[in-house]
PDB file of all heavy atoms in Angstrom:
ATOM      1  N   HIS C  48      90.312 102.046  96.283  1.00 89.00           N
ATOM      2  CA  HIS C  48      89.191 101.296  95.662  1.00 89.00           C
ATOM      3  C   HIS C  48      89.001  99.999  96.385  1.00 89.00           C
ATOM      4  O   HIS C  48      90.009  99.353  96.606  1.00 89.00           O
ATOM      5  CB  HIS C  48      89.281 101.170  94.165  1.00 89.00           C
ATOM      6  CG  HIS C  48      89.249 102.463  93.490  1.00 89.00           C
ATOM      7  ND1 HIS C  48      90.482 103.094  93.073  1.00 89.00           N
ATOM      8  CD2 HIS C  48      88.253 103.126  92.943  1.00 89.00           C
ATOM      9  CE1 HIS C  48      90.095 104.228  92.447  1.00 89.00           C
ATOM     10  NE2 HIS C  48      88.849 104.308  92.397  1.00 89.00           N
ATOM     11  N   ARG C  49      87.867  99.514  96.754  1.00 88.00           N
ATOM     12  CA  ARG C  49      87.622  98.346  97.403  1.00 88.00           C
ATOM     13  C   ARG C  49      88.085  97.038  96.637  1.00 88.00           C
ATOM     14  O   ARG C  49      88.743  96.169  97.139  1.00 88.00           O
ATOM     15  CB  ARG C  49      86.215  98.194  97.746  1.00 88.00           C
ATOM     16  CG  ARG C  49      85.805  98.993  98.836  1.00 88.00           C
ATOM     17  CD  ARG C  49      84.299  98.888  99.334  1.00 88.00           C
ATOM     18  NE  ARG C  49      84.165  97.617 100.058  1.00 88.00           N
ATOM     19  CZ  ARG C  49      84.407  97.595 101.442  1.00 88.00           C
ATOM     20  NH1 ARG C  49      84.818  98.608 102.037  1.00 88.00           N
ATOM     21  NH2 ARG C  49      84.132  96.363 101.950  1.00 88.00           N
ATOM     22  N   GLU C  50      87.744  97.075  95.334  1.00 89.00           N
ATOM     23  CA  GLU C  50      88.076  95.847  94.539  1.00 89.00           C
ATOM     24  C   GLU C  50      89.554  95.677  94.264  1.00 89.00           C
ATOM     25  O   GLU C  50      90.056  94.621  93.959  1.00 89.00           O
ATOM     26  CB  GLU C  50      87.234  95.823  93.237  1.00 89.00           C
ATOM     27  CG  GLU C  50      87.535  96.912  92.243  1.00 89.00           C
ATOM     28  CD  GLU C  50      86.756  98.177  92.564  1.00 89.00           C
ATOM     29  OE1 GLU C  50      85.848  98.162  93.513  1.00 89.00           O
ATOM     30  OE2 GLU C  50      86.950  99.185  91.811  1.00 89.00           O
ATOM     31  N   ASP C  51      90.264  96.788  94.258  1.00 87.00           N
ATOM     32  CA  ASP C  51      91.724  96.690  93.872  1.00 87.00           C
ATOM     33  C   ASP C  51      92.716  96.902  95.188  1.00 87.00           C
ATOM     34  O   ASP C  51      93.763  97.411  94.976  1.00 87.00           O
ATOM     35  CB  ASP C  51      92.134  97.770  92.866  1.00 87.00           C
ATOM     36  CG  ASP C  51      91.479  97.412  91.462  1.00 87.00           C
ATOM     37  OD1 ASP C  51      91.263  96.174  91.318  1.00 87.00           O
ATOM     38  OD2 ASP C  51      91.148  98.252  90.721  1.00 87.00           O
ATOM     39  N   ARG C  52      92.223  96.890  96.357  1.00 93.00           N
ATOM     40  CA  ARG C  52      92.941  97.226  97.544  1.00 93.00           C
ATOM     41  C   ARG C  52      94.111  96.405  97.659  1.00 93.00           C
ATOM     42  O   ARG C  52      95.279  96.859  97.985  1.00 93.00           O
ATOM     43  CB  ARG C  52      91.954  97.026  98.770  1.00 93.00           C
ATOM     44  CG  ARG C  52      92.826  97.576 100.086  1.00 93.00           C
ATOM     45  CD  ARG C  52      91.788  97.808 101.153  1.00 93.00           C
ATOM     46  NE  ARG C  52      91.125  98.961 100.656  1.00 93.00           N
ATOM     47  CZ  ARG C  52      89.875  99.420 101.394  1.00 93.00           C
ATOM     48  NH1 ARG C  52      89.443  98.519 102.396  1.00 93.00           N
ATOM     49  NH2 ARG C  52      89.214 100.269 100.786  1.00 93.00           N
ATOM     50  N   THR C  53      94.073  95.015  97.407  1.00 94.00           N
ATOM     51  CA  THR C  53      95.269  94.193  97.478  1.00 94.00           C
ATOM     52  C   THR C  53      96.345  94.613  96.616  1.00 94.00           C
ATOM     53  O   THR C  53      97.613  94.699  96.895  1.00 94.00           O
ATOM     54  CB  THR C  53      94.887  92.767  97.354  1.00 94.00           C
ATOM     55  OG1 THR C  53      93.845  92.404  98.228  1.00 94.00           O
ATOM     56  CG2 THR C  53      95.969  91.772  97.578  1.00 94.00           C
ATOM     57  N   ARG C  54      96.048  94.823  95.339  1.00 95.00           N
ATOM     58  CA  ARG C  54      96.897  95.226  94.413  1.00 95.00           C
ATOM     59  C   ARG C  54      97.647  96.532  94.639  1.00 95.00           C
ATOM     60  O   ARG C  54      98.802  96.729  94.506  1.00 95.00           O
ATOM     61  CB  ARG C  54      96.344  95.391  93.008  1.00 95.00           C
ATOM     62  CG  ARG C  54      97.215  95.404  91.896  1.00 95.00           C
ATOM     63  CD  ARG C  54      96.552  95.416  90.481  1.00 95.00           C
ATOM     64  NE  ARG C  54      95.485  94.439  90.433  1.00 95.00           N
ATOM     65  CZ  ARG C  54      94.566  94.397  89.431  1.00 95.00           C
ATOM     66  NH1 ARG C  54      94.651  95.247  88.524  1.00 95.00           N
ATOM     67  NH2 ARG C  54      93.514  93.614  89.530  1.00 95.00           N
ATOM     68  N   GLY C  55      96.993  97.423  95.227  1.00 95.00           N
ATOM     69  CA  GLY C  55      97.502  98.759  95.665  1.00 95.00           C
ATOM     70  C   GLY C  55      98.395  98.563  96.754  1.00 95.00           C
ATOM     71  O   GLY C  55      99.455  99.197  96.821  1.00 95.00           O
ATOM     72  N   VAL C  56      98.067  97.854  97.738  1.00 95.00           N
ATOM     73  CA  VAL C  56      98.971  97.543  98.873  1.00 95.00           C
ATOM     74  C   VAL C  56     100.253  96.895  98.485  1.00 95.00           C
ATOM     75  O   VAL C  56     101.309  97.236  98.830  1.00 95.00           O
ATOM     76  CB  VAL C  56      98.384  96.712  99.989  1.00 95.00           C
ATOM     77  CG1 VAL C  56      99.316  96.398 101.035  1.00 95.00           C
ATOM     78  CG2 VAL C  56      97.157  97.582 100.546  1.00 95.00           C
ATOM     79  N   LEU C  57     100.217  95.981  97.501  1.00 96.00           N
ATOM     80  CA  LEU C  57     101.334  95.387  96.900  1.00 96.00           C
ATOM     81  C   LEU C  57     102.220  96.364  96.093  1.00 96.00           C
ATOM     82  O   LEU C  57     103.505  96.194  96.248  1.00 96.00           O
ATOM     83  CB  LEU C  57     100.994  94.162  96.037  1.00 96.00           C
ATOM     84  CG  LEU C  57     100.466  92.946  96.704  1.00 96.00           C
ATOM     85  CD1 LEU C  57     100.018  91.907  95.682  1.00 96.00           C
ATOM     86  CD2 LEU C  57     101.539  92.293  97.604  1.00 96.00           C
ATOM     87  N   MET C  58     101.594  97.268  95.493  1.00 97.00           N
ATOM     88  CA  MET C  58     102.429  98.291  94.804  1.00 97.00           C
ATOM     89  C   MET C  58     103.248  99.184  95.801  1.00 97.00           C
ATOM     90  O   MET C  58     104.331  99.481  95.612  1.00 97.00           O
ATOM     91  CB  MET C  58     101.527  99.138  93.887  1.00 97.00           C
ATOM     92  CG  MET C  58     101.023  98.427  92.663  1.00 97.00           C
ATOM     93  SD  MET C  58      99.872  99.350  91.768  1.00 97.00           S
ATOM     94  CE  MET C  58     100.943 100.509  91.067  1.00 97.00           C
ATOM     95  N   ILE C  59     102.449  99.504  96.944  1.00 97.00           N
ATOM     96  CA  ILE C  59     103.227 100.412  97.990  1.00 97.00           C
ATOM     97  C   ILE C  59     104.363  99.625  98.492  1.00 97.00           C
ATOM     98  O   ILE C  59     105.453 100.034  98.813  1.00 97.00           O
ATOM     99  CB  ILE C  59     102.143 100.733  98.936  1.00 97.00           C
ATOM    100  CG1 ILE C  59     101.188 101.706  98.371  1.00 97.00           C
ATOM    101  CG2 ILE C  59     102.867 101.423 100.252  1.00 97.00           C
ATOM    102  CD1 ILE C  59      99.944 102.025  99.209  1.00 97.00           C
ATOM    103  N   VAL C  60     104.095  98.244  98.806  1.00 97.00           N
ATOM    104  CA  VAL C  60     105.172  97.413  99.327  1.00 97.00           C
ATOM    105  C   VAL C  60     106.417  97.316  98.382  1.00 97.00           C
ATOM    106  O   VAL C  60     107.588  97.433  98.783  1.00 97.00           O
ATOM    107  CB  VAL C  60     104.689  95.939  99.728  1.00 97.00           C
ATOM    108  CG1 VAL C  60     105.814  95.098  99.944  1.00 97.00           C
ATOM    109  CG2 VAL C  60     103.667  96.045 100.942  1.00 97.00           C
ATOM    110  N   ALA C  61     106.078  97.351  97.094  1.00 97.00           N
ATOM    111  CA  ALA C  61     107.114  97.216  95.966  1.00 97.00           C
ATOM    112  C   ALA C  61     107.888  98.513  96.178  1.00 97.00           C
ATOM    113  O   ALA C  61     109.161  98.516  95.938  1.00 97.00           O
ATOM    114  CB  ALA C  61     106.626  96.983  94.860  1.00 97.00           C
ATOM    115  N   ALA C  62     107.241  99.692  96.292  1.00 97.00           N
ATOM    116  CA  ALA C  62     107.909 100.959  96.412  1.00 97.00           C
ATOM    117  C   ALA C  62     108.803 100.993  97.590  1.00 97.00           C
ATOM    118  O   ALA C  62     109.921 101.510  97.486  1.00 97.00           O
ATOM    119  CB  ALA C  62     106.872 102.074  96.440  1.00 97.00           C
ATOM    120  N   VAL C  63     108.301 100.501  98.678  1.00 97.00           N
ATOM    121  CA  VAL C  63     109.273 100.503  99.852  1.00 97.00           C
ATOM    122  C   VAL C  63     110.479  99.676  99.702  1.00 97.00           C
ATOM    123  O   VAL C  63     111.509 100.077 100.080  1.00 97.00           O
ATOM    124  CB  VAL C  63     108.373 100.038 101.108  1.00 97.00           C
ATOM    125  CG1 VAL C  63     109.231  99.696 102.312  1.00 97.00           C
ATOM    126  CG2 VAL C  63     107.297 100.979 101.478  1.00 97.00           C
ATOM    127  N   VAL C  64     110.288  98.477  99.075  1.00 97.00           N
ATOM    128  CA  VAL C  64     111.534  97.695  98.799  1.00 97.00           C
ATOM    129  C   VAL C  64     112.497  98.400  97.814  1.00 97.00           C
ATOM    130  O   VAL C  64     113.585  98.340  98.076  1.00 97.00           O
ATOM    131  CB  VAL C  64     110.970  96.351  98.181  1.00 97.00           C
ATOM    132  CG1 VAL C  64     112.171  95.515  97.637  1.00 97.00           C
ATOM    133  CG2 VAL C  64     110.196  95.539  99.197  1.00 97.00           C
ATOM    134  N   LEU C  65     111.982  99.105  96.842  1.00 96.00           N
ATOM    135  CA  LEU C  65     112.837  99.909  95.954  1.00 96.00           C
ATOM    136  C   LEU C  65     113.553 100.944  96.712  1.00 96.00           C
ATOM    137  O   LEU C  65     114.808 101.169  96.477  1.00 96.00           O
ATOM    138  CB  LEU C  65     112.089 100.385  94.855  1.00 96.00           C
ATOM    139  CG  LEU C  65     111.866  99.632  93.641  1.00 96.00           C
ATOM    140  CD1 LEU C  65     110.890 100.342  92.642  1.00 96.00           C
ATOM    141  CD2 LEU C  65     113.182  99.322  92.946  1.00 96.00           C
ATOM    142  N   VAL C  66     112.837 101.740  97.555  1.00 96.00           N
ATOM    143  CA  VAL C  66     113.540 102.688  98.316  1.00 96.00           C
ATOM    144  C   VAL C  66     114.587 102.127  99.171  1.00 96.00           C
ATOM    145  O   VAL C  66     115.690 102.667  99.421  1.00 96.00           O
ATOM    146  CB  VAL C  66     112.536 103.558  99.139  1.00 96.00           C
ATOM    147  CG1 VAL C  66     113.216 104.447 100.119  1.00 96.00           C
ATOM    148  CG2 VAL C  66     111.661 104.391  98.168  1.00 96.00           C
ATOM    149  N   GLY C  67     114.220 100.984  99.890  1.00 96.00           N
ATOM    150  CA  GLY C  67     115.227 100.224 100.790  1.00 96.00           C
ATOM    151  C   GLY C  67     116.480  99.791  99.933  1.00 96.00           C
ATOM    152  O   GLY C  67     117.605  99.939 100.430  1.00 96.00           O
ATOM    153  N   ASN C  68     116.286  99.363  98.712  1.00 95.00           N
ATOM    154  CA  ASN C  68     117.490  98.986  97.926  1.00 95.00           C
ATOM    155  C   ASN C  68     118.297 100.216  97.569  1.00 95.00           C
ATOM    156  O   ASN C  68     119.464 100.205  97.638  1.00 95.00           O
ATOM    157  CB  ASN C  68     116.952  98.364  96.650  1.00 95.00           C
ATOM    158  CG  ASN C  68     116.489  96.973  96.827  1.00 95.00           C
ATOM    159  OD1 ASN C  68     117.013  96.249  97.873  1.00 95.00           O
ATOM    160  ND2 ASN C  68     115.726  96.439  95.981  1.00 95.00           N
ATOM    161  N   VAL C  69     117.792 101.352  97.204  1.00 94.00           N
ATOM    162  CA  VAL C  69     118.451 102.555  96.980  1.00 94.00           C
ATOM    163  C   VAL C  69     119.201 102.925  98.237  1.00 94.00           C
ATOM    164  O   VAL C  69     120.383 103.422  98.230  1.00 94.00           O
ATOM    165  CB  VAL C  69     117.596 103.681  96.470  1.00 94.00           C
ATOM    166  CG1 VAL C  69     118.321 105.007  96.393  1.00 94.00           C
ATOM    167  CG2 VAL C  69     116.983 103.359  95.154  1.00 94.00           C
ATOM    168  N   LEU C  70     118.597 102.944  99.427  1.00 95.00           N
ATOM    169  CA  LEU C  70     119.334 103.249 100.598  1.00 95.00           C
ATOM    170  C   LEU C  70     120.487 102.360 100.860  1.00 95.00           C
ATOM    171  O   LEU C  70     121.624 102.809 101.237  1.00 95.00           O
ATOM    172  CB  LEU C  70     118.370 103.205 101.900  1.00 95.00           C
ATOM    173  CG  LEU C  70     117.350 104.264 101.961  1.00 95.00           C
ATOM    174  CD1 LEU C  70     116.327 104.079 103.018  1.00 95.00           C
ATOM    175  CD2 LEU C  70     118.121 105.621 102.106  1.00 95.00           C
ATOM    176  N   ILE C  71     120.403 101.083 100.619  1.00 95.00           N
ATOM    177  CA  ILE C  71     121.452 100.102 100.783  1.00 95.00           C
ATOM    178  C   ILE C  71     122.666 100.372  99.718  1.00 95.00           C
ATOM    179  O   ILE C  71     123.771 100.403 100.061  1.00 95.00           O
ATOM    180  CB  ILE C  71     120.952  98.749 100.614  1.00 95.00           C
ATOM    181  CG1 ILE C  71     120.157  98.287 101.830  1.00 95.00           C
ATOM    182  CG2 ILE C  71     122.101  97.665 100.448  1.00 95.00           C
ATOM    183  CD1 ILE C  71     119.458  97.032 101.775  1.00 95.00           C
ATOM    184  N   TRP C  72     122.276 100.816  98.410  1.00 92.00           N
ATOM    185  CA  TRP C  72     123.155 101.047  97.503  1.00 92.00           C
ATOM    186  C   TRP C  72     123.967 102.229  97.767  1.00 92.00           C
ATOM    187  O   TRP C  72     125.139 102.347  97.383  1.00 92.00           O
ATOM    188  CB  TRP C  72     122.507 101.113  96.068  1.00 92.00           C
ATOM    189  CG  TRP C  72     121.829  99.966  95.531  1.00 92.00           C
ATOM    190  CD1 TRP C  72     122.222  98.617  95.824  1.00 92.00           C
ATOM    191  CD2 TRP C  72     120.903  99.952  94.456  1.00 92.00           C
ATOM    192  NE1 TRP C  72     121.460  97.851  95.071  1.00 92.00           N
ATOM    193  CE2 TRP C  72     120.622  98.573  94.211  1.00 92.00           C
ATOM    194  CE3 TRP C  72     120.233 100.850  93.796  1.00 92.00           C
ATOM    195  CZ2 TRP C  72     119.691  98.144  93.283  1.00 92.00           C
ATOM    196  CZ3 TRP C  72     119.293 100.446  92.863  1.00 92.00           C
ATOM    197  CH2 TRP C  72     119.029  99.137  92.604  1.00 92.00           C
ATOM    198  N   THR C  73     123.370 103.207  98.508  1.00 88.00           N
ATOM    199  CA  THR C  73     124.205 104.447  98.682  1.00 88.00           C
ATOM    200  C   THR C  73     125.104 104.334  99.855  1.00 88.00           C
ATOM    201  O   THR C  73     125.960 105.244  99.960  1.00 88.00           O
ATOM    202  CB  THR C  73     123.165 105.556  98.975  1.00 88.00           C
ATOM    203  OG1 THR C  73     122.337 105.268 100.130  1.00 88.00           O
ATOM    204  CG2 THR C  73     122.312 105.944  97.712  1.00 88.00           C
TER     205      THR C  73
END
Side-chain angles (χ1 to χ4, degrees):
H48 295 96
R49 289 183 70 82
E50 63 273 359
D51 292 330
R52 184 161 295 167
T53 304
R54 196 177 316 170
V56 170
L57 287 174
M58 287 175 72
I59 294 170
V60 169
V63 169
V64 169
L65 272 176
V66 170
N68 284 335
V69 170
L70 288 174
I71 290 171
W72 290 341
T73 57

